[in-house]
Amino acid sequence: MVEIGYKLASEEHGPLDLVCNARQAEDAGFAFAMISDHYHPWTARQGESPFVWGVIGGISQVTADLRLVTGVTCPTIRIHPGIIAQAAATAAVMMPGRFILGLGSGENLNEHIFGDRWPPAPIRIEMLEEAVEVIRTLWKGGMQDYYGSFYTLENAQIFSLPEKLPPIYIASEGPISASLAARAGDGFINPGTNAEESLVVFRNSGGGNKPTYVEISVCWAESEEEGQTTAYEQWPVPANRGELNRLLPTPVHYEQLAKMVTPEDVAEHVPSGPDAEVHIKKIEERISMGFDHVCVHQIGHQQQEFMEFYMNEVLPHFQE
C-alpha cells in the first residue's frame, strides 16, 4: 500500500504554525508527515528555521495518529550523534509507535556554523555511518563507551528510552549513501533528486522490502501561473543540480544561485495550480519508480487551502 504524507517545511513556517499544520494534516487524512531540520532556511525570503526538537514536542501533543519522520536530521557536525540519540528517544517516548528518525549527511548551509570543516561527500557518509552506530549503541541502554574514528562516548547512558525503539531511515541522493541506507538503515528517504537511480541501488544493495520515502514539491494556487510565481520566488531550490545544495554556506549564496535559474526551470520540477490531475500525475510518477511513501511539500503559505484541496480531490484517488 502506498501512503501519502505532508512536508512540514521548517524553512518557511514558524514553530507554532508547524504544530498547527501537523494537526491539520492529520485531520486532512495524510498518513504521515516529514519535518525538516535546518539551522538556516535556503533563502532569507523563506524566513524561518525553528529548532526541530522543540517543535516535535508540540506536535506530539496535538496529534494522535500522524506518524512523524525527521526529514532529515544530520547527526554528524552541528549536533553530536549522542545528543540526537537522546532527542530521538525522547520524541519516541512522546509519540509511541509513530516517530521515525530520518538521518542524512547534511548540507554545509547548516553544519558549518561553528567553524567546522565541511568534508567531501565520502567522508560525510563515513561520519554518518559511524553516527548511526553511536545512536544504536546508546539505544541499547545502560552505560556505554564508544571510541570511533569521528566520535567518542564516555560513561554515557540514555535513561528515558521508549518501550519500542524508533526505526532509523537514511536519506540518499547517490549510490554510496543508498548502499549505506540498505546496510545500516531500516528504510530509505530520497529528497527528490536522482530518485529512481538511488532507489535501484538501495534495493540492489540489500534494501529488500524496507520502506521507501520520496519527497515532491508542489504549489497549489488558484491558477497555474500564480503557483509557478510563488514556487520561483519562495522555493527555487528544485532547479539546482549537482552538489551545489550540499556545498554553499549561506542563504545569500542560494539567493545568488536563484538568479541564475528561470521560472520555467523551477516550473519543470514543481507541479502548480488547482488541477488535481497534475498533482496526482506527479505522485504516480514516484509510485511507478517503486516508492511506497510520497511526501508532498506545498510551497508557500496557502497550507490550509492546499490541505483542503488534497483532502477532497487528491488523497481519495490513492485511498481508492
Side-chain angles (χ1 to χ4, degrees):
M1 176 178 289
V2 173
E3 292 187 328
I4 311 301
Y6 169 75
K7 183 62 181 281
L8 293 157
S10 299
E11 305 88 339
E12 295 181 281
H13 308 288
L16 296 178
D17 286 337
L18 289 167
V19 172
C20 179
N21 291 345
R23 172 60 186 270
Q24 290 181 342
E26 179 174 78
D27 291 343
F30 288 95
F32 66 93
M34 298 182 70
I35 185 166
S36 53
D37 181 357
H38 270 224
Y39 195 88
H40 295 136
W42 296 102
T43 67
R45 185 184 184 94
Q46 292 169 357
E48 296 285 353
S49 201
F51 185 56
V52 69
W53 299 101
V55 177
I56 289 172
I59 292 172
S60 74
Q61 299 305 293
V62 301
T63 59
D65 300 308
L66 188 74
R67 298 196 312 280
L68 185 64
V69 188
T70 52
V72 293
T73 288
C74 178
T76 61
I77 297 177
R78 173 170 50 104
I79 306 179
H80 191 285
I83 301 300
I84 297 299
Q86 183 187 30
T90 297
V93 169
M94 299 181 75
M95 305 182 74
R98 57 192 187 99
F99 176 76
I100 297 166
L101 179 59
L103 300 177
S105 59
E107 304 91 16
N108 196 23
L109 174 69
N110 301 302
E111 304 306 317
H112 80 286
I113 58 170
F114 300 125
D116 296 284
R117 172 179 176 264
W118 184 240
I123 301 300
R124 300 199 304 266
I125 294 170
E126 286 182 22
M127 295 174 72
L128 177 58
E129 183 164 16
E130 188 169 303
V132 173
E133 291 180 5
V134 169
I135 292 168
R136 293 199 189 277
T137 296
L138 285 167
W139 283 358
K140 294 176 183 176
M143 197 69 69
Q144 298 292 341
D145 297 324
Y146 184 96
Y147 300 96
S149 300
F150 304 103
Y151 306 107
T152 298
L153 297 174
E154 287 187 355
N155 305 327
Q157 180 174 353
I158 296 176
F159 282 85
S160 297
L161 286 170
E163 291 185 7
K164 181 179 180 181
L165 293 172
I168 295 176
Y169 295 172
I170 295 178
S172 168
E173 293 179 303
I176 301 175
S177 53
S179 297
L180 171 61
R183 181 173 65 255
D186 303 306
F188 171 86
I189 298 172
N190 178 271
T193 305
N194 298 326
E196 189 167 18
E197 297 89 340
S198 297
L199 180 59
V200 170
V201 173
F202 172 75
R203 295 295 191 201
N204 291 342
S205 300
N209 293 321
K210 294 177 181 179
T212 56
Y213 286 62
V214 66
E215 294 182 28
I216 62 170
S217 292
V218 305
C219 190
W220 178 91
E222 293 184 356
S223 70
E224 182 179 18
E225 294 75 16
E226 179 188 346
Q228 290 175 347
T229 298
T230 298
Y232 175 68
E233 293 177 349
Q234 188 74 10
W235 202 270
V237 181
N240 301 338
R241 282 295 173 262
E243 275 285 290
L244 285 175
N245 284 344
R246 304 290 162 256
L247 299 179
L248 299 182
T250 71
V252 171
H253 290 91
Y254 285 91
E255 290 157 16
Q256 293 170 352
L257 182 61
K259 295 177 181 178
M260 302 179 192
V261 302
T262 67
E264 292 74 23
D265 293 330
V266 177
E268 183 180 344
H269 301 282
V270 179
S272 299
D275 185 346
E277 288 302 317
V278 171
H279 293 253
I280 289 169
K281 180 181 178 182
K282 185 69 173 183
I283 295 171
E284 287 183 333
E285 286 177 359
R286 295 300 183 262
I287 295 171
S288 68
M289 292 178 184
F291 288 95
D292 46 41
H293 295 77
V294 181
C295 185
V296 184
H297 164 217
Q298 161 69 4
I299 297 170
H301 296 284
Q302 292 181 296
Q303 300 297 310
Q304 184 173 352
E305 296 89 341
F306 159 81
M307 282 191 263
E308 290 176 355
F309 166 67
Y310 263 63
M311 178 175 65
N312 294 323
E313 301 189 44
V314 177
L315 295 182
H317 173 84
F318 297 98
Q319 291 163 351
E320 293 172 1

